[in-house]
Amino acid sequence: MYPHERSLVQKYENKPFAIVGVNSDPTPEFLRTVMKEKDLTWPSFFDGGGTGGPIATRWGVRGWPTVYVIDHNGIITDGHRGNLDEVIERLVNEVPPAK
Amino acid sequence: MRATVLFGVLLLLLYCAAARGQDTKADPVQQQLDALLAAHEASELAYADAYRAFLPRFEKFIEEHRGSEPEARATLWLIQQTWWLREGNSMEKVNGAAMPLAEDLLKRHADSPQLDLLVEYKYNFSREQRETLFNRLLEISPHASVKAAAHFGLAQGSPARDEDGSPNEHFALLTTEFAKVKWRETTYGAIADAYLNPLSPADLAPGKPAPEIEGIDHNGNPMKLSDYRGKVVLLDFWGDW
């Protein structure tokens, strides 16, 4: 997954796109080490130290990774059910230019 | 790449082992166990084979240090690893091995602060065994951390809310008396709240506004999902495994 995410971040570097992670690793130190070693530049919520953390529990996540695509208005899309790259490309192009 | 990850994990384990060693004033018995746990963790054997390969060493350690706190931890390792005794979908051997080990552990180590691990390893016990074991923990343990874990184990054994909509008795205690007790890097209160107020599939369906997430980032700084409004967001639940 990391190479795909890295390529998305690069492709949309100056576009209205962001990756936001919810991480279930054991400690913030562990997360910092992974981010540094794997060159992960996007932010993640630290979810309490395990797959039973509060965010994943509330969202009913049962498998990892699980992704959602949220549009620029904050609306959940069907992105996770289709071709991720195509959906993101379409949604990013739909974002009206900043005034 | 894989070797780098393994090396990183090993370093982390050694660091944790060192940190714990300092806490116990470098107890040589604890150090011996930490080395054994780290060696098992770093083993490149398949999980079930690693269990069989390390079992004699753990059993020898338990025999030699019976009654000590590190021995309680070693026995908890045995309980965790009974998972590898399963045959296909049958948990009969696992349940049959885990329960006597746990009962014996409670007799010798009623006041161990490490008994919360029994709840982490609950998958090795049948539903009835869990009830018995976790209620026993509530009776005998002097530690809030162990009692909270036991309530959490029991809370998950029935629907989170009773028919009248109120939290089941165990979740009720976890959101009050035990709310501030730590579970890893968070609290039982936060976890119980998530169980009591889950998002439904309908809440997360396409077309619905994404529910807010408020939390902390890798440096402990507050962050919110809505901070990214105006951008297309790939929300990615992940872990490095």
PDB file of all heavy atoms in Angstrom, chain B residues 32-33 35-37 39-40 51-65 74 77-78:
ATOM      1  N   GLN B  32      16.167 -12.317  31.904  1.00  0.00           N
ATOM      2  CA  GLN B  32      16.233 -13.619  31.241  1.00  0.00           C
ATOM      3  C   GLN B  32      14.941 -13.864  30.438  1.00  0.00           C
ATOM      4  O   GLN B  32      14.982 -14.298  29.288  1.00  0.00           O
ATOM      5  CB  GLN B  32      16.408 -14.697  32.313  1.00  0.00           C
ATOM      6  CG  GLN B  32      16.871 -16.048  31.784  1.00  0.00           C
ATOM      7  CD  GLN B  32      16.842 -17.101  32.891  1.00  0.00           C
ATOM      8  OE1 GLN B  32      17.020 -16.784  34.074  1.00  0.00           O
ATOM      9  NE2 GLN B  32      16.614 -18.348  32.514  1.00  0.00           N
ATOM     10  N   LEU B  33      13.810 -13.524  31.064  1.00  0.00           N
ATOM     11  CA  LEU B  33      12.521 -13.713  30.383  1.00  0.00           C
ATOM     12  C   LEU B  33      12.395 -12.767  29.189  1.00  0.00           C
ATOM     13  O   LEU B  33      11.942 -13.171  28.113  1.00  0.00           O
ATOM     14  CB  LEU B  33      11.359 -13.488  31.354  1.00  0.00           C
ATOM     15  CG  LEU B  33       9.968 -13.588  30.703  1.00  0.00           C
ATOM     16  CD1 LEU B  33       9.710 -15.003  30.189  1.00  0.00           C
ATOM     17  CD2 LEU B  33       8.872 -13.160  31.649  1.00  0.00           C
ATOM     18  N   ALA B  35      14.683 -11.617  27.340  1.00  0.00           N
ATOM     19  CA  ALA B  35      15.521 -12.134  26.254  1.00  0.00           C
ATOM     20  C   ALA B  35      14.808 -13.296  25.557  1.00  0.00           C
ATOM     21  O   ALA B  35      14.831 -13.403  24.320  1.00  0.00           O
ATOM     22  CB  ALA B  35      16.880 -12.580  26.806  1.00  0.00           C
ATOM     23  N   LEU B  36      14.160 -14.137  26.356  1.00  0.00           N
ATOM     24  CA  LEU B  36      13.446 -15.293  25.798  1.00  0.00           C
ATOM     25  C   LEU B  36      12.266 -14.834  24.929  1.00  0.00           C
ATOM     26  O   LEU B  36      12.062 -15.315  23.807  1.00  0.00           O
ATOM     27  CB  LEU B  36      12.961 -16.174  26.959  1.00  0.00           C
ATOM     28  CG  LEU B  36      12.500 -17.602  26.672  1.00  0.00           C
ATOM     29  CD1 LEU B  36      13.537 -18.368  25.872  1.00  0.00           C
ATOM     30  CD2 LEU B  36      12.212 -18.333  27.988  1.00  0.00           C
ATOM     31  N   LEU B  37      11.495 -13.854  25.459  1.00  0.00           N
ATOM     32  CA  LEU B  37      10.352 -13.315  24.701  1.00  0.00           C
ATOM     33  C   LEU B  37      10.829 -12.656  23.402  1.00  0.00           C
ATOM     34  O   LEU B  37      10.214 -12.837  22.352  1.00  0.00           O
ATOM     35  CB  LEU B  37       9.579 -12.301  25.558  1.00  0.00           C
ATOM     36  CG  LEU B  37       8.739 -12.859  26.710  1.00  0.00           C
ATOM     37  CD1 LEU B  37       8.316 -11.738  27.662  1.00  0.00           C
ATOM     38  CD2 LEU B  37       7.508 -13.607  26.201  1.00  0.00           C
ATOM     39  N   ALA B  39      13.594 -13.313  21.751  1.00  0.00           N
ATOM     40  CA  ALA B  39      14.100 -14.342  20.833  1.00  0.00           C
ATOM     41  C   ALA B  39      12.934 -15.027  20.117  1.00  0.00           C
ATOM     42  O   ALA B  39      12.986 -15.266  18.909  1.00  0.00           O
ATOM     43  CB  ALA B  39      14.931 -15.370  21.596  1.00  0.00           C
ATOM     44  N   HIS B  40      11.871 -15.311  20.871  1.00  0.00           N
ATOM     45  CA  HIS B  40      10.684 -15.924  20.250  1.00  0.00           C
ATOM     46  C   HIS B  40      10.073 -14.989  19.219  1.00  0.00           C
ATOM     47  O   HIS B  40       9.734 -15.382  18.109  1.00  0.00           O
ATOM     48  CB  HIS B  40       9.643 -16.291  21.319  1.00  0.00           C
ATOM     49  CG  HIS B  40       8.328 -16.709  20.744  1.00  0.00           C
ATOM     50  ND1 HIS B  40       7.211 -15.894  20.780  1.00  0.00           N
ATOM     51  CD2 HIS B  40       7.961 -17.827  20.073  1.00  0.00           C
ATOM     52  CE1 HIS B  40       6.224 -16.513  20.158  1.00  0.00           C
ATOM     53  NE2 HIS B  40       6.636 -17.687  19.737  1.00  0.00           N
ATOM     54  N   TYR B  51       6.239 -21.726  18.308  1.00  0.00           N
ATOM     55  CA  TYR B  51       5.653 -22.123  19.596  1.00  0.00           C
ATOM     56  C   TYR B  51       6.256 -23.437  20.064  1.00  0.00           C
ATOM     57  O   TYR B  51       6.758 -23.542  21.183  1.00  0.00           O
ATOM     58  CB  TYR B  51       4.131 -22.242  19.449  1.00  0.00           C
ATOM     59  CG  TYR B  51       3.415 -22.989  20.548  1.00  0.00           C
ATOM     60  CD1 TYR B  51       3.629 -22.667  21.897  1.00  0.00           C
ATOM     61  CD2 TYR B  51       2.534 -24.025  20.249  1.00  0.00           C
ATOM     62  CE1 TYR B  51       2.961 -23.359  22.906  1.00  0.00           C
ATOM     63  CE2 TYR B  51       1.864 -24.715  21.246  1.00  0.00           C
ATOM     64  CZ  TYR B  51       2.084 -24.381  22.575  1.00  0.00           C
ATOM     65  OH  TYR B  51       1.436 -25.058  23.560  1.00  0.00           O
ATOM     66  N   ARG B  52       6.245 -24.436  19.185  1.00  0.00           N
ATOM     67  CA  ARG B  52       6.776 -25.756  19.567  1.00  0.00           C
ATOM     68  C   ARG B  52       8.267 -25.676  19.898  1.00  0.00           C
ATOM     69  O   ARG B  52       8.739 -26.297  20.838  1.00  0.00           O
ATOM     70  CB  ARG B  52       6.519 -26.768  18.457  1.00  0.00           C
ATOM     71  CG  ARG B  52       5.098 -27.316  18.494  1.00  0.00           C
ATOM     72  CD  ARG B  52       4.917 -28.464  17.521  1.00  0.00           C
ATOM     73  NE  ARG B  52       4.737 -27.983  16.159  1.00  0.00           N
ATOM     74  CZ  ARG B  52       3.546 -27.622  15.669  1.00  0.00           C
ATOM     75  NH1 ARG B  52       2.453 -27.717  16.405  1.00  0.00           N
ATOM     76  NH2 ARG B  52       3.444 -27.180  14.431  1.00  0.00           N
ATOM     77  N   ALA B  53       8.985 -24.857  19.119  1.00  0.00           N
ATOM     78  CA  ALA B  53      10.433 -24.769  19.337  1.00  0.00           C
ATOM     79  C   ALA B  53      10.766 -24.103  20.676  1.00  0.00           C
ATOM     80  O   ALA B  53      11.729 -24.487  21.344  1.00  0.00           O
ATOM     81  CB  ALA B  53      11.075 -23.991  18.188  1.00  0.00           C
ATOM     82  N   PHE B  54       9.972 -23.104  21.074  1.00  0.00           N
ATOM     83  CA  PHE B  54      10.297 -22.355  22.294  1.00  0.00           C
ATOM     84  C   PHE B  54       9.626 -22.913  23.548  1.00  0.00           C
ATOM     85  O   PHE B  54      10.013 -22.562  24.666  1.00  0.00           O
ATOM     86  CB  PHE B  54       9.934 -20.876  22.128  1.00  0.00           C
ATOM     87  CG  PHE B  54      10.984 -20.108  21.390  1.00  0.00           C
ATOM     88  CD1 PHE B  54      11.035 -20.137  19.999  1.00  0.00           C
ATOM     89  CD2 PHE B  54      11.935 -19.359  22.070  1.00  0.00           C
ATOM     90  CE1 PHE B  54      12.016 -19.446  19.319  1.00  0.00           C
ATOM     91  CE2 PHE B  54      12.919 -18.652  21.393  1.00  0.00           C
ATOM     92  CZ  PHE B  54      12.956 -18.699  20.005  1.00  0.00           C
ATOM     93  N   LEU B  55       8.625 -23.766  23.373  1.00  0.00           N
ATOM     94  CA  LEU B  55       7.872 -24.293  24.516  1.00  0.00           C
ATOM     95  C   LEU B  55       8.765 -24.890  25.611  1.00  0.00           C
ATOM     96  O   LEU B  55       8.607 -24.531  26.791  1.00  0.00           O
ATOM     97  CB  LEU B  55       6.823 -25.314  24.041  1.00  0.00           C
ATOM     98  CG  LEU B  55       5.887 -25.882  25.109  1.00  0.00           C
ATOM     99  CD1 LEU B  55       5.096 -24.776  25.788  1.00  0.00           C
ATOM    100  CD2 LEU B  55       4.930 -26.912  24.492  1.00  0.00           C
ATOM    101  N   PRO B  56       9.722 -25.768  25.273  1.00  0.00           N
ATOM    102  CA  PRO B  56      10.559 -26.351  26.337  1.00  0.00           C
ATOM    103  C   PRO B  56      11.320 -25.295  27.139  1.00  0.00           C
ATOM    104  O   PRO B  56      11.482 -25.424  28.353  1.00  0.00           O
ATOM    105  CB  PRO B  56      11.530 -27.257  25.576  1.00  0.00           C
ATOM    106  CG  PRO B  56      10.876 -27.537  24.265  1.00  0.00           C
ATOM    107  CD  PRO B  56      10.074 -26.312  23.949  1.00  0.00           C
ATOM    108  N   ARG B  57      11.779 -24.244  26.455  1.00  0.00           N
ATOM    109  CA  ARG B  57      12.546 -23.196  27.158  1.00  0.00           C
ATOM    110  C   ARG B  57      11.658 -22.418  28.121  1.00  0.00           C
ATOM    111  O   ARG B  57      12.083 -22.056  29.214  1.00  0.00           O
ATOM    112  CB  ARG B  57      13.211 -22.266  26.133  1.00  0.00           C
ATOM    113  CG  ARG B  57      14.255 -22.998  25.295  1.00  0.00           C
ATOM    114  CD  ARG B  57      14.749 -22.167  24.140  1.00  0.00           C
ATOM    115  NE  ARG B  57      15.499 -20.993  24.562  1.00  0.00           N
ATOM    116  CZ  ARG B  57      15.988 -20.092  23.718  1.00  0.00           C
ATOM    117  NH1 ARG B  57      15.801 -20.244  22.422  1.00  0.00           N
ATOM    118  NH2 ARG B  57      16.655 -19.048  24.163  1.00  0.00           N
ATOM    119  N   PHE B  58      10.418 -22.140  27.701  1.00  0.00           N
ATOM    120  CA  PHE B  58       9.489 -21.437  28.602  1.00  0.00           C
ATOM    121  C   PHE B  58       9.107 -22.328  29.783  1.00  0.00           C
ATOM    122  O   PHE B  58       9.033 -21.871  30.924  1.00  0.00           O
ATOM    123  CB  PHE B  58       8.244 -20.975  27.834  1.00  0.00           C
ATOM    124  CG  PHE B  58       8.440 -19.662  27.131  1.00  0.00           C
ATOM    125  CD1 PHE B  58       8.954 -19.619  25.836  1.00  0.00           C
ATOM    126  CD2 PHE B  58       8.131 -18.465  27.774  1.00  0.00           C
ATOM    127  CE1 PHE B  58       9.150 -18.397  25.195  1.00  0.00           C
ATOM    128  CE2 PHE B  58       8.323 -17.243  27.126  1.00  0.00           C
ATOM    129  CZ  PHE B  58       8.842 -17.219  25.835  1.00  0.00           C
ATOM    130  N   GLU B  59       8.884 -23.622  29.517  1.00  0.00           N
ATOM    131  CA  GLU B  59       8.501 -24.538  30.595  1.00  0.00           C
ATOM    132  C   GLU B  59       9.628 -24.681  31.613  1.00  0.00           C
ATOM    133  O   GLU B  59       9.374 -24.730  32.823  1.00  0.00           O
ATOM    134  CB  GLU B  59       8.101 -25.900  30.004  1.00  0.00           C
ATOM    135  CG  GLU B  59       6.733 -25.822  29.330  1.00  0.00           C
ATOM    136  CD  GLU B  59       6.270 -27.126  28.712  1.00  0.00           C
ATOM    137  OE1 GLU B  59       7.135 -27.961  28.353  1.00  0.00           O
ATOM    138  OE2 GLU B  59       5.051 -27.314  28.571  1.00  0.00           O
ATOM    139  N   LYS B  60      10.846 -24.709  31.121  1.00  0.00           N
ATOM    140  CA  LYS B  60      11.998 -24.805  32.021  1.00  0.00           C
ATOM    141  C   LYS B  60      12.095 -23.542  32.881  1.00  0.00           C
ATOM    142  O   LYS B  60      12.303 -23.606  34.097  1.00  0.00           O
ATOM    143  CB  LYS B  60      13.278 -24.982  31.183  1.00  0.00           C
ATOM    144  CG  LYS B  60      14.558 -25.149  31.988  1.00  0.00           C
ATOM    145  CD  LYS B  60      15.648 -25.767  31.107  1.00  0.00           C
ATOM    146  CE  LYS B  60      16.983 -25.808  31.817  1.00  0.00           C
ATOM    147  NZ  LYS B  60      17.699 -24.510  31.780  1.00  0.00           N
ATOM    148  N   PHE B  61      11.898 -22.395  32.244  1.00  0.00           N
ATOM    149  CA  PHE B  61      11.934 -21.110  32.964  1.00  0.00           C
ATOM    150  C   PHE B  61      10.863 -21.085  34.069  1.00  0.00           C
ATOM    151  O   PHE B  61      11.122 -20.673  35.203  1.00  0.00           O
ATOM    152  CB  PHE B  61      11.715 -19.960  31.974  1.00  0.00           C
ATOM    153  CG  PHE B  61      11.723 -18.604  32.611  1.00  0.00           C
ATOM    154  CD1 PHE B  61      12.905 -17.885  32.743  1.00  0.00           C
ATOM    155  CD2 PHE B  61      10.543 -18.052  33.112  1.00  0.00           C
ATOM    156  CE1 PHE B  61      12.906 -16.635  33.354  1.00  0.00           C
ATOM    157  CE2 PHE B  61      10.534 -16.807  33.731  1.00  0.00           C
ATOM    158  CZ  PHE B  61      11.730 -16.096  33.851  1.00  0.00           C
ATOM    159  N   ILE B  62       9.667 -21.548  33.728  1.00  0.00           N
ATOM    160  CA  ILE B  62       8.553 -21.558  34.691  1.00  0.00           C
ATOM    161  C   ILE B  62       8.879 -22.447  35.881  1.00  0.00           C
ATOM    162  O   ILE B  62       8.656 -22.073  37.039  1.00  0.00           O
ATOM    163  CB  ILE B  62       7.255 -22.014  33.983  1.00  0.00           C
ATOM    164  CG1 ILE B  62       6.770 -20.907  33.042  1.00  0.00           C
ATOM    165  CG2 ILE B  62       6.172 -22.378  34.995  1.00  0.00           C
ATOM    166  CD1 ILE B  62       5.702 -21.334  32.060  1.00  0.00           C
ATOM    167  N   GLU B  63       9.445 -23.606  35.607  1.00  0.00           N
ATOM    168  CA  GLU B  63       9.795 -24.542  36.672  1.00  0.00           C
ATOM    169  C   GLU B  63      10.841 -23.937  37.613  1.00  0.00           C
ATOM    170  O   GLU B  63      10.730 -24.043  38.828  1.00  0.00           O
ATOM    171  CB  GLU B  63      10.333 -25.813  36.018  1.00  0.00           C
ATOM    172  CG  GLU B  63      10.237 -27.056  36.881  1.00  0.00           C
ATOM    173  CD  GLU B  63      10.793 -28.245  36.117  1.00  0.00           C
ATOM    174  OE1 GLU B  63      10.280 -28.536  35.023  1.00  0.00           O
ATOM    175  OE2 GLU B  63      11.761 -28.851  36.604  1.00  0.00           O
ATOM    176  N   GLU B  64      11.812 -23.259  37.012  1.00  0.00           N
ATOM    177  CA  GLU B  64      12.931 -22.732  37.822  1.00  0.00           C
ATOM    178  C   GLU B  64      12.561 -21.485  38.624  1.00  0.00           C
ATOM    179  O   GLU B  64      13.220 -21.181  39.617  1.00  0.00           O
ATOM    180  CB  GLU B  64      14.123 -22.403  36.896  1.00  0.00           C
ATOM    181  CG  GLU B  64      14.836 -23.645  36.392  1.00  0.00           C
ATOM    182  CD  GLU B  64      15.903 -23.323  35.346  1.00  0.00           C
ATOM    183  OE1 GLU B  64      16.047 -22.139  34.970  1.00  0.00           O
ATOM    184  OE2 GLU B  64      16.581 -24.274  34.919  1.00  0.00           O
ATOM    185  N   HIS B  65      11.549 -20.748  38.159  1.00  0.00           N
ATOM    186  CA  HIS B  65      11.265 -19.465  38.825  1.00  0.00           C
ATOM    187  C   HIS B  65       9.841 -19.386  39.344  1.00  0.00           C
ATOM    188  O   HIS B  65       9.271 -18.300  39.465  1.00  0.00           O
ATOM    189  CB  HIS B  65      11.543 -18.311  37.851  1.00  0.00           C
ATOM    190  CG  HIS B  65      12.947 -18.315  37.351  1.00  0.00           C
ATOM    191  ND1 HIS B  65      14.030 -17.981  38.136  1.00  0.00           N
ATOM    192  CD2 HIS B  65      13.450 -18.672  36.151  1.00  0.00           C
ATOM    193  CE1 HIS B  65      15.146 -18.104  37.424  1.00  0.00           C
ATOM    194  NE2 HIS B  65      14.820 -18.526  36.219  1.00  0.00           N
ATOM    195  N   ALA B  74       5.616 -15.604  31.986  1.00  0.00           N
ATOM    196  CA  ALA B  74       5.958 -16.757  31.142  1.00  0.00           C
ATOM    197  C   ALA B  74       4.747 -17.689  31.011  1.00  0.00           C
ATOM    198  O   ALA B  74       4.476 -18.219  29.932  1.00  0.00           O
ATOM    199  CB  ALA B  74       7.155 -17.504  31.726  1.00  0.00           C
ATOM    200  N   TRP B  77       2.431 -16.351  28.577  1.00  0.00           N
ATOM    201  CA  TRP B  77       2.896 -16.674  27.211  1.00  0.00           C
ATOM    202  C   TRP B  77       2.362 -18.046  26.800  1.00  0.00           C
ATOM    203  O   TRP B  77       1.858 -18.218  25.684  1.00  0.00           O
ATOM    204  CB  TRP B  77       4.424 -16.640  27.152  1.00  0.00           C
ATOM    205  CG  TRP B  77       5.002 -16.929  25.785  1.00  0.00           C
ATOM    206  CD1 TRP B  77       5.265 -16.023  24.792  1.00  0.00           C
ATOM    207  CD2 TRP B  77       5.362 -18.215  25.249  1.00  0.00           C
ATOM    208  NE1 TRP B  77       5.764 -16.669  23.685  1.00  0.00           N
ATOM    209  CE2 TRP B  77       5.841 -18.008  23.936  1.00  0.00           C
ATOM    210  CE3 TRP B  77       5.342 -19.524  25.743  1.00  0.00           C
ATOM    211  CZ2 TRP B  77       6.292 -19.053  23.113  1.00  0.00           C
ATOM    212  CZ3 TRP B  77       5.790 -20.575  24.920  1.00  0.00           C
ATOM    213  CH2 TRP B  77       6.261 -20.329  23.630  1.00  0.00           C
ATOM    214  N   LEU B  78       2.467 -19.022  27.714  1.00  0.00           N
ATOM    215  CA  LEU B  78       1.946 -20.367  27.423  1.00  0.00           C
ATOM    216  C   LEU B  78       0.462 -20.302  27.067  1.00  0.00           C
ATOM    217  O   LEU B  78       0.004 -20.955  26.130  1.00  0.00           O
ATOM    218  CB  LEU B  78       2.088 -21.304  28.634  1.00  0.00           C
ATOM    219  CG  LEU B  78       3.440 -21.860  29.043  1.00  0.00           C
ATOM    220  CD1 LEU B  78       3.237 -23.013  30.022  1.00  0.00           C
ATOM    221  CD2 LEU B  78       4.225 -22.333  27.834  1.00  0.00           C
TER     222      LEU B  78
END
